[in-house]
Amino acid sequence: MAAEKAEMDALKKECDGLRAQIEAARKAVNDGSMSAAASGVASVGRVQLKLRKTLKGHLAKIYAMHWSADSRQMVSASQDGKLLIWDCFTGNKLVAVPLKSAWVMSVAFAPSGNLVASGGLDNICTVYNIKAASPKTLRELDAHTGYLSCCRFLSDTEILTASGDTTCCLWDLETGKQKVIFTNHIGDCMSLALSPDMNTFISGACDSLAKLWDLREGACKQTFSGHTSDINAISFFQSGNAIITGSDDCQCKMYDLRSDQEVICYQDASLNAGVTSLALSSSGRLIFAGYDDFNCHIWDSLKGEKVGVLSGHDNRVSCTGVPDDGMGVCTGSWDSFLKLWN
Amino acid sequence: MTINTLAKGGCHREQMACFRKMEKVIVAMQDPDMGMKMRNQRLLITVIPHAMTGHDIIAWLTHKYRISEEESLHLGNMLVKYGYIYPLKEPRCLVLRPDESPYRFQTPYFWTSTRWPASELDYAIYLAKKNIRKQGELMEYEKERYSLLHKRINHTWDFVVMQAREQLRASKQRRKADRIVLECQEQAYWLINRPPPGVNNVLDTGLERPNNFSCRVTLNSDYYKREIEACRKALGRNRVKSSICLEGFLKYSEQYLNHDPIMQGCLPSNPWISDDTAHWTMNAEIVPVPTRLRVERWSFSFMELLNDAMGRREFMTYLEKEFSAENLYFWQACEDIRHGESSKIVEKVEDIYKNFLAPGAARWVNIDSKTMDKTLEGIKRPHRFVMDDAQMHIYFLMKKRDNDPKCSKITLA
């Protein structure tokens, strides 16, 4: 018993030593701060976006939404047990997909527009074909031992899932089997995002770490720490060289992948609510972050200042999304409404 | 008054910041000088003071905050939904009616923020009181919850019943009017904190996440050995200077500023605002003439050019003139393998070999011998990423050509 404990302590010490060395290596390349670099950039001023549409139709809390690649359709998931596919231009509901389990937590649109996927407390990621006469269940991906917190399609044949069982998984939709299981987190995985070049993806978890994974090797390449609570939302900066995270510790952070460290923290003393979701405008200059305080706050990603707010929801903002063409931003809330702003 | 929870990591996270704001409004409404006008409510023979009509509430909010009636109705509804004002006529219908329906302020003792979270014990006492006071007064769902609680906190059940009896006895000694008011207040509090089934629970704060990591993953010596291995690999990683990286972000934002509709608007108009789909039509995947902004994006990076169907077409035309179009065909075929169906991989890899790699192939691509050897070896066991090295080589070859001024002249013409 004592020998085992001694071995563990030695290993822990070695691990801590290596982590300290990594920190030192990061400090060594840190020769400039974002605020210094961005000091010459013009301020964006006050960003005031108007509410253009309110999409009503769900009967309970909205937990997730995802834009289609055509920037016009969007799918939303609510705990009333339905997925709704909207045409955001006209505001019409195009398809309603009834769910077997009402406890949905995540939804995704395939880039082709043919499939949507959803999952939640049932631990299963269900993929539906929405181009059929009536939505048909294509696959039920059932292997996670924890709730499904996030899913994203790579194509019509592959999908990535993040789960409360601390793993992320790449599935083959043709066989319905797991291809790669990504294990390294020690807390529930809450969100994931695919890189623009589709070679890597990032995940945020309840262990307050964000990790970058290589899809080909199936391994964790980089780990980013700094948050002090669950990371609920994560996204790539469009250039693919940085990631933005949002956490229950009321802060958002940007981490640079090439210098392997945090570059800026988005926090405000008056903001005392956790971040639930985030999305970036197409140039990456604006970050739309949904908070527990019923608002979506807008940050200037380079200067680190709060530049605006989207108010109008009667309950927590649970999901945020900017379409590929960057026309505006959509916020979904526990008050059962989706709002489109620009 | 508000609710602060100690989140993991020791930072105070405010739950329901709306309470703080609503309480300010409520206090203003009860101001003796500038607050609401109260009336008496007549309930058969009992008169209950300090009631107000829905119409008065809306009028006061409109006047005080200088907002539209629609917004006052919305704000008033929120005050009712969160229990700061409760309806007297139909207590279960938590909606603000802009008419003569009577409402009353909830006493601060029963503000949700004061007693958060509502305790099971208190709920049990409340249901016990209702049950004792009038047999059969409990609704179906209340009866179910009552028996559930009886099972769950059975060990303190004597205390529950005793408290219920004591509170009933104390209330009998009050004036009838006060007793009715207290019952209404208590009922309103529980309608919000323990809503009937089917009613939206406004106080929901979501899933409880496990606080203890090691209940999912055991931090044993195996775990640390793996961590050490990962750390060693990470240590050897090449890190770029911060200043260079930050420059990159600034440059990217600047370059794409004009292409960001939220920041700069878009031509001819943003369809969301103007309801005109002209922008989408002009920027469809294949159009006769690409917009100026679109062509400008091709010059930002080679990937932008390749990712755009029309950009690829333009580039292909240029390559054909230079007799090196096979490169782009090869690259496209490799992309198809990477993102396409797993079942077709073997077939596609064979096709690529036949058309691009085999000696004497129709569209033979010029790859260096080392990469060629590695690829040919990999083809024996084809998988999704088997062409990656060759594809990367050809990509950089094409990129060099793209940088050739002759090429940009053609694409931007």
Side-chain angles (χ1 to χ4, degrees):
Chain A
M1 221 12 238
E4 273 176 40
K5 188 168 183 314
E7 189 200 356
M8 267 266 278
D9 285 342
L11 287 171
K12 241 192 255 185
K13 199 158 162 224
E14 192 181 347
C15 201
D16 288 339
L18 282 168
R19 285 193 184 139
Q21 283 183 311
I22 292 178
E23 272 314 305
R26 286 172 173 167
K27 270 211 173 65
V29 294
N30 190 1
D31 62 343
S33 74
M34 178 68 108
S35 40
S39 55
V41 177
S43 155
V44 295
R46 187 114 196 106
V47 175
Q48 284 176 313
L49 301 188
K50 287 212 178 75
L51 173 64
R52 301 294 170 186
K53 275 204 176 66
T54 298
L55 302 176
K56 306 184 192 190
H58 279 299
L59 304 172
K61 303 209 265 307
I62 292 176
Y63 256 84
M65 54 84 45
H66 195 211
W67 282 98
S68 165
D70 71 359
S71 300
R72 207 168 134 158
Q73 289 184 20
M74 179 259 288
V75 62
S76 60
S78 159
Q79 292 208 333
D80 61 2
K82 284 227 169 43
L83 297 183
L84 286 179
I85 298 175
W86 309 79
D87 174 343
C88 292
F89 178 63
T90 57
N92 294 335
K93 303 185 228 336
L94 300 174
V95 185
V97 183
L99 302 172
K100 256 200 213 162
S101 158
W103 304 108
V104 62
M105 294 174 67
S106 171
V107 76
F109 224 128
S112 65
N114 298 330
L115 311 173
V116 294
S118 73
L121 291 182
D122 56 354
N123 298 3
I124 302 175
C125 179
T126 314
V127 180
Y128 304 89
N129 176 352
I130 50 163
K131 291 293 193 213
S134 74
K136 215 169 78 113
T137 302
L138 189 72
R139 283 258 172 251
E140 279 180 351
L141 308 173
D142 187 2
H144 278 300
T145 53
Y147 58 85
L148 204 86
S149 52
C150 193
C151 51
R152 284 291 177 258
F153 282 95
L154 277 82
S155 63
D156 275 7
T157 54
E158 290 187 306
I159 188 170
L160 265 173
T161 55
S163 166
D165 64 9
T166 75
T167 66
C168 296
C169 185
L170 177 69
W171 305 76
D172 180 341
L173 285 173
E174 290 169 276
T175 58
K177 296 264 181 323
Q178 292 175 301
K179 277 191 12 186
V180 187
I181 305 178
F182 302 89
T183 41
N184 201 283
H185 277 297
I186 57 173
D188 306 9
C189 290
M190 295 309 299
S191 58
L192 64 85
L194 210 50
S195 69
D197 66 9
M198 307 248 269
N199 286 331
T200 59
F201 75 94
I202 43 176
S203 62
C206 290
D207 55 10
S208 61
L209 301 174
K211 288 183 186 281
L212 177 90
W213 309 82
D214 186 308
L215 277 166
R216 288 171 292 186
E217 297 173 33
C220 168
K221 300 311 286 256
Q222 284 174 273
T223 300
F224 300 97
S225 58
H227 279 296
T228 53
S229 189
D230 309 355
I231 294 179
N232 294 321
I234 199 165
S235 176
F236 267 97
F237 191 80
Q238 272 82 353
S239 67
N241 289 328
I243 67 174
I244 320 271
T245 54
S247 162
D248 264 354
D249 63 9
C250 316
Q251 298 175 351
C252 293
K253 287 181 194 285
M254 182 198 275
Y255 295 94
D256 177 18
L257 298 181
R258 293 185 298 174
S259 65
D260 192 39
Q261 55 195 284
E262 177 182 334
V263 293
I264 190 168
C265 178
Y266 307 100
Q267 61 178 347
D268 187 305
S270 66
L271 267 184
N272 217 358
V275 181
T276 59
S277 54
L278 58 86
L280 278 78
S281 73
S282 56
S283 65
R285 185 68 193 268
L286 298 177
I287 299 175
F288 300 98
Y291 286 75
D292 274 351
D293 70 354
F294 304 5
N295 293 322
C296 181
H297 294 275
I298 311 175
W299 293 90
D300 176 336
S301 64
L302 301 180
K303 289 201 175 279
E305 301 163 342
K306 206 155 76 76
V307 292
V309 66
L310 305 174
S311 293
H313 283 294
D314 288 345
N315 209 319
R316 176 188 294 196
V317 174
S318 54
C319 47
T320 325
V322 172
D324 283 348
D325 66 1
M327 283 300 149
V329 58
C330 176
T331 53
S333 162
W334 279 11
D335 66 2
S336 81
F337 300 126
L338 294 146
K339 291 185 189 275
L340 301 172
W341 318 73
N342 67 9
Chain B
M1 267 186 260
T2 183
I3 296 163
N4 265 311
T5 51
L6 198 64
K8 273 188 274 185
C11 69
H12 271 278
R13 206 175 104 220
E14 197 173 44
Q15 300 267 47
M16 314 301 263
C18 55
F19 287 159
R20 195 172 12 98
K21 301 174 193 172
M22 286 192 275
E23 279 156 19
K24 273 207 191 106
V25 175
I26 292 290
V27 166
M29 283 173 102
Q30 294 181 319
D31 184 274
D33 302 316
M34 303 294 287
M36 294 217 43
K37 260 201 303 271
M38 297 292 169
R39 304 156 192 240
N40 288 339
Q41 177 213 9
R42 213 173 191 88
L43 251 181
L44 296 176
I45 44 167
T46 330
V47 172
I48 298 173
H50 309 308
M52 50 210 171
T53 65
H55 179 240
D56 282 348
I57 295 174
I58 294 177
W60 188 90
L61 287 170
T62 313
H63 174 79
K64 163 90 177 172
Y65 294 105
R66 290 186 242 285
I67 50 181
S68 66
E69 245 189 66
E70 193 189 341
E71 201 172 340
S72 302
L73 186 58
H74 186 196
L75 180 56
N77 255 306
M78 283 195 78
L79 294 173
V80 174
K81 270 215 292 265
Y82 284 89
Y84 287 97
I85 296 177
Y86 63 92
L88 297 170
K89 272 254 171 63
E90 278 170 64
R92 288 175 197 284
C93 185
L94 294 172
V95 168
L96 182 69
R97 278 188 235 277
D99 53 21
E100 299 304 302
S101 316
Y103 293 84
R104 182 175 290 113
F105 290 113
Q106 177 66 286
T107 172
Y109 178 81
F110 276 126
W111 281 359
T112 313
S113 61
T114 320
R115 333 181 67 65
W116 174 292
S119 82
E120 296 228 292
L121 194 62
D122 285 340
Y123 192 41
I125 295 171
Y126 167 67
L127 290 176
K129 273 200 295 192
K130 261 186 123 176
N131 204 23
I132 296 173
R133 193 162 53 215
K134 207 181 202 180
Q135 278 294 340
E137 195 180 44
L138 286 180
M139 308 207 71
E140 257 327 297
Y141 74 91
E142 283 174 326
K143 284 193 192 128
E144 280 173 31
R145 291 182 186 172
Y146 191 47
S147 53
L148 258 169
L149 280 168
H150 182 83
K151 277 194 210 121
R152 252 211 307 267
I153 54 174
N154 198 287
H155 50 284
T156 59
W157 206 251
D158 287 340
F159 177 73
V160 168
V161 175
M162 186 191 76
Q163 273 292 303
R165 290 221 167 94
E166 190 49 43
Q167 290 182 16
L168 280 172
R169 195 187 58 77
S171 74
K172 276 205 178 77
Q173 296 178 343
R174 291 204 185 88
R175 283 186 3 228
K176 182 160 183 197
D178 290 342
R179 190 164 65 233
I180 293 178
V181 168
L182 193 57
E183 276 169 24
C184 285
Q185 288 172 340
E186 203 179 22
Q187 182 184 249
Y189 173 77
W190 288 112
L191 275 173
I192 303 225
N193 281 275
R194 291 283 187 272
V199 173
N200 203 9
N201 183 0
V202 291
L203 301 178
D204 201 337
T205 48
L207 262 191
E208 271 302 312
R209 294 185 205 149
N211 277 313
N212 187 5
F213 302 145
S214 45
C215 69
R216 289 255 192 221
V217 177
T218 3
L219 300 179
N220 55 13
S221 50
D222 275 337
Y223 166 75
Y224 282 110
K225 283 191 188 132
R226 282 198 306 268
E227 271 301 292
I228 288 170
E229 195 45 50
C231 284
R232 286 222 178 93
K233 277 206 193 112
L235 195 55
R237 177 188 186 79
N238 185 26
R239 290 179 178 83
V240 179
K241 280 209 168 66
S242 286
S243 48
I244 301 178
C245 303
L246 297 174
E247 265 307 304
F249 299 135
L250 298 180
K251 181 156 172 269
Y252 187 92
S253 280
E254 202 188 347
Q255 233 178 12
Y256 284 84
L257 185 65
N258 287 334
H259 300 256
D260 186 340
I262 296 180
M263 307 264 312
Q264 299 280 77
C266 71
L267 297 172
S269 66
N270 187 322
W272 288 23
I273 304 177
S274 63
D275 278 345
D276 175 14
T277 54
H279 175 92
W280 283 329
T281 325
M282 283 164 53
N283 282 289
E285 187 148 350
I286 304 286
V287 282
V289 182
T291 63
R292 192 185 58 80
L293 272 181
R294 185 173 179 174
V295 175
E296 188 183 63
R297 240 199 333 269
W298 298 343
S299 67
F300 288 167
S301 81
F302 189 47
M303 266 327 279
E304 282 280 1
L305 180 71
L306 284 184
N307 278 334
D308 185 336
M310 291 203 62
R312 271 201 307 277
R313 224 171 52 175
E314 291 295 325
F315 190 55
M316 182 68 91
T317 319
Y318 161 74
L319 287 179
E320 267 160 7
K321 290 210 177 77
E322 302 283 312
F323 301 105
S324 50
E326 70 277 0
N327 291 326
L328 187 53
Y329 283 119
F330 176 69
W331 185 87
Q332 280 176 175
C334 293
E335 279 291 283
D336 194 30
I337 292 186
R338 288 187 81 212
H339 301 299
E341 293 156 27
S342 314
S343 50
K344 300 228 171 87
I345 288 180
V346 174
E347 179 189 326
K348 287 180 185 171
V349 169
E350 266 186 44
D351 276 343
I352 287 191
Y353 175 73
K354 259 199 314 228
N355 293 325
F356 299 98
L357 300 175
R363 285 180 164 154
W364 191 80
V365 284
N366 192 2
I367 308 178
D368 67 284
S369 52
K370 193 165 149 214
T371 313
M372 180 66 94
D373 287 342
K374 191 166 172 208
T375 309
L376 291 177
E377 191 56 42
I379 289 181
K380 296 187 185 150
R381 269 177 302 275
H383 59 90
R384 193 175 290 272
F385 304 112
V386 73
M387 290 293 169
D388 271 8
D389 290 325
Q391 185 183 9
M392 188 68 62
H393 182 94
I394 294 297
Y395 173 82
F396 282 115
L397 208 71
M398 289 195 295
K399 194 165 171 202
K400 263 195 238 147
R401 283 189 180 277
D402 178 57
N403 287 336
D404 183 346
K406 244 197 295 177
C407 175
S408 24
K409 266 211 217 117
I410 290 175
T411 47
L412 291 177

